[in-house]
């Protein structure tokens, strides 16, 4: 994050408060100390003083660039169109019908029931939604890998939030399934602080009925075995392998990637076993745009 220098001159007697605009620009995902250096000079040129101030830290989220959408596998019914807390919207009711034993009392149409003298319930639209659980392997063999993986994860989580589906994230820490603004902020904060590791970060178990989405570059043997164990309760599984550690964004061009990296060879050797456990292997080379 870069701050442009600003200057101010004037005469003050006693204490005075001055507000200065500080335009800034984001440079790269991460958490950075935010400091200011102030050079104070006497109007008469009789002296100067240099002050360095610490102003906390700046957290920069992953950059957002349009990427292909991804639809999680449907896993459960929610009554009514999805709201921030998963409750049906009464304005979306398709109609009214007589109450039947077993109907949820929260769907009771009170005004209509009072007018008719017998209980009526709202018929609401039913939507079929799925949950998405993302795991990012932090073992990085290329400096661009974590940024590309974090950008993709942020894009997918924002799409899930907009759709109203639940989503979880494993990126250094495990964030369980949820949704809402606070949940999204926690997820983006994890992605912002993501740091590379020497060893693979093993994927945890998928929440029951979820879409299990794994991203890796190295595809170490230990990672692949943990992915097989973790996919046991998933409704659908995808293992996205980025052998070169990056992919092309729409409109970019790159050189053709030839040969097989060790991680690609390991993943291809286990492709049949992965598919038998519900994990579809998808490989995106460095010269290819992302397709999900």
């Amino acid at each position: 994050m870069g701050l442009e220098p600003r200057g101010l001159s004037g005469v003050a007697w006693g204490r005075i408060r001055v507000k200065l605009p500080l335009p800034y620009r984001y440079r790269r995902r991460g958490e950075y100390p935010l400091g200011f250096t102030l050079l104070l000079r006497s109007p008469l040129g009789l002296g100067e003083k240099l002050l360095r101030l610490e102003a906390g830290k700046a957290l920069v989220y992953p950059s957002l660039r349009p990427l292909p959408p991804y639809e999680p596998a449907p896993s459960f019914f929610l009554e009514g169109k999805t709201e921030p807390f998963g409750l049906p919207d009464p304005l979306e009711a398709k109609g009214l019908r007589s109450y039947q034993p077993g109907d949820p009392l929260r769907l009771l149409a009170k005004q209509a029931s009072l007018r008719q003298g017998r209980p009526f319930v709202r018929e609401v639209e039913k939507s079929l939604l799925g949950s998405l659980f993302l795991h990012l392997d932090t073992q990085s063999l290329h400096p661009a890998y974590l940024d590309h993986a974090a950008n993709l994860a942020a894009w997918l989580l924002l799409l899930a939030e907009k759709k109203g589906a639940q989503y979880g994230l494993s990126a250094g820490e495990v964030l369980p399934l949820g949704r809402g603004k606070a949940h999204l902020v926690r997820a983006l904060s994890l992605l912002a602080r993501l740091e590379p590791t020497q060893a693979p970060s093993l994927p945890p178990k998928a929440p029951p009925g979820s879409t299990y989405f794994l991203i890796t570059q190295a595809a170490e043997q230990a990672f692949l075995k943990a992915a097989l164990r973790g996919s046991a309760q998933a409704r659908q599984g995808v293992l996205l392998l980025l052998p070169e550690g990056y992919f092309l964004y729409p409109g970019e061009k790159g050189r053709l990637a030839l040969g097989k990296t060790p991680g690609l060879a390991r993943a291809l050797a286990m492709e049949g076993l992965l598919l038998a456990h519900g994990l579809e292997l998808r490989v995106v080379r460095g010269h290819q745009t992302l397709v999900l």
Side-chain angles (χ1 to χ4, degrees), residues 165 172 199 235 266:
R235 177 82 177 260
R266 283 190 293 267

Side-chain angles (χ1 to χ4, degrees), residues 3-8 16 18-22 35-42 47-55:
L3 296 175
E4 298 179 3
R6 285 288 183 270
L8 179 69
I16 186 171
V18 178
K19 292 184 178 180
L20 289 177
L22 293 174
F36 299 95
T37 301
L38 303 181
L39 178 62
L40 306 178
R41 287 194 178 98
S42 167
E48 64 180 32
K49 186 174 183 180
L50 189 67
L51 297 178
R52 288 186 172 87
L53 306 177
E54 293 295 331

Side-chain angles (χ1 to χ4, degrees), residues 28 138-148 196 217-218 242-247:
R28 192 176 178 185
T138 53
Q139 186 179 18
S140 177
L141 307 179
H142 189 281
Y145 164 67
L146 277 188
D147 287 337
H148 277 69
Q217 179 191 5
L242 306 176
E244 284 72 43
Y246 56 89
F247 50 83

Side-chain angles (χ1 to χ4, degrees), residues 151-166:
N151 291 353
L152 171 59
W155 174 253
L156 295 178
L157 296 183
L158 282 170
L159 291 178
E161 174 67 31
K162 183 180 295 186
K163 185 178 175 62
Q166 288 191 321

Side-chain angles (χ1 to χ4, degrees), residues 23-82:
Y24 60 89
R25 60 188 179 91
Y26 300 117
R27 289 180 177 169
R28 192 176 178 185
R29 174 191 64 84
E31 187 175 32
Y32 305 97
L34 190 60
F36 299 95
T37 301
L38 303 181
L39 178 62
L40 306 178
R41 287 194 178 98
S42 167
L44 302 178
L46 300 178
E48 64 180 32
K49 186 174 183 180
L50 189 67
L51 297 178
R52 288 186 172 87
L53 306 177
E54 293 295 331
K57 294 182 178 180
L59 188 63
V60 182
Y61 291 160
S63 61
L64 291 178
R65 302 179 66 173
L67 291 170
Y70 181 75
E71 289 287 338
S75 58
F76 55 89
F77 278 101
L78 290 177
E79 291 188 77
K81 287 193 174 181
T82 308

Side-chain angles (χ1 to χ4, degrees), residues 72 76 78 129-133 160-161 164-168 177-179 183:
F76 55 89
L78 290 177
L129 293 178
S131 57
L132 177 66
F133 188 82
E161 174 67 31
Q166 288 191 321
Y167 52 91
L177 292 180
R179 62 172 177 251
H183 188 73

Side-chain angles (χ1 to χ4, degrees), residues 151-218:
N151 291 353
L152 171 59
W155 174 253
L156 295 178
L157 296 183
L158 282 170
L159 291 178
E161 174 67 31
K162 183 180 295 186
K163 185 178 175 62
Q166 288 191 321
Y167 52 91
L169 177 65
S170 171
E173 301 178 29
V174 177
L175 185 65
L177 292 180
R179 62 172 177 251
K181 182 179 179 180
H183 188 73
L184 181 62
V185 168
R186 287 195 295 269
L188 294 178
S189 299
L190 284 182
L191 294 175
R193 295 186 175 97
L194 203 60
E195 295 289 342
T197 58
Q198 295 293 328
S201 55
L202 304 184
K205 292 183 179 180
S210 65
T211 293
Y212 198 35
F213 200 107
L214 311 175
I215 305 175
T216 184
Q217 179 191 5

